[in-house]
Amino acid sequence: MIKLYDFLPCPFGQKVRIVLAEKSLSYELVPVDLLGGDQRKPEFLRLNPYRKVPVLLDEETIVYDSTIINEYLDDEYPDPPLLPSIESSALRARARLFEDFADTSFTLQVGQLMAESAKPEGERDPTRIARLRQTVEKVLDYLNHELSGQQFLAVEFSVADVGFAPRLLVLKELGIEAGTGRPNVDGWVKRLLERPSIQNLQGVTLEPLAGV
Ligand SMILES: N[C@@H](CCC(=O)N[C@@H](CS)C(=O)NCC(=O)O)C(=O)O
């Protein structure tokens, strides 16, 4: 039985839960209370010395970091595949580049915007909010360009799309209309929302891990 150590609002854990659902893999969810400091307990540090969720335990195999977990799941449970075929190295690289780009240039920035927007009015920094909003809008413009003529970022649905899904789901609540003026993003988001793995994702909320 697979175990997933996770904190439901974590967007990186959400990436892994989308992949587990896409592959119809059953698993036990082991909650890690990040707000209560569970990640610093010795028993958790034995699983992940970096003190972060998600961590996947598959029999004897321990894997951490959402990107590496999702690649492990695709290697170990290849059906349905969530990376382009092994013959298409260039397309596999494109999927990996977009997954990395989602983590480093979108998810974190949306998280910062969530954190800043959640502050009481007097403590909020409107300049920072405007800057973060502009960054997110620029990423959406770029995605709109890259999605031209294709349904998903690497032709078929893949880990690249999974990488963006968790934070795409909160944009509306932050007042950002991803699809407005971006027809390719609009179609893409609609296609993502048709997938039960994304529709039924738990923990999609602006609170309480607003800063991550
Ligand atoms: N690169 C990691 C990032 C994981 C991460 O940042 N997890 C956050 C929660 S969303 C965490 O566990 N934070 C705990 C801490 O920093 O104390 C991944 O993709 O899994």
Side-chain angles (χ1 to χ4, degrees), residues 17 20 23 30 57-60 66 69 82 94-95 106 114 141 159 176 192:
R17 281 183 274 126
L20 286 164
K23 290 178 178 288
V30 184
L57 184 61
D58 190 7
E59 308 216 345
E60 302 300 303
S66 58
I69 296 172
L82 289 177
R94 179 176 165 93
F106 181 70
M114 287 159 70
D141 289 343
V159 292
I176 298 177
L192 294 181

Side-chain angles (χ1 to χ4, degrees), residues 113-125 128 207:
L113 182 57
M114 287 159 70
E116 197 60 43
S117 309
K119 287 182 182 170
E121 201 165 328
E123 291 170 31
R124 251 176 258 155
D125 179 347
R128 183 156 190 254
E207 298 289 343

Side-chain angles (χ1 to χ4, degrees), residues 6-7 9-13 15-16 32 34 39-40 44 48 50-55 64-69 99 103 108 167 209 212:
D6 199 0
F7 180 68
C10 172
F12 302 106
K15 279 171 60 186
V16 174
V32 179
L34 296 183
Q39 71 276 33
R40 288 188 285 277
F44 187 77
N48 182 358
Y50 293 113
R51 298 184 304 186
K52 288 186 192 297
V53 293
V55 178
Y64 44 80
D65 192 280
S66 58
T67 299
I68 298 172
I69 296 172
E99 171 155 24
D103 287 358
L108 291 174
R167 287 310 192 217
L209 239 206
V212 181

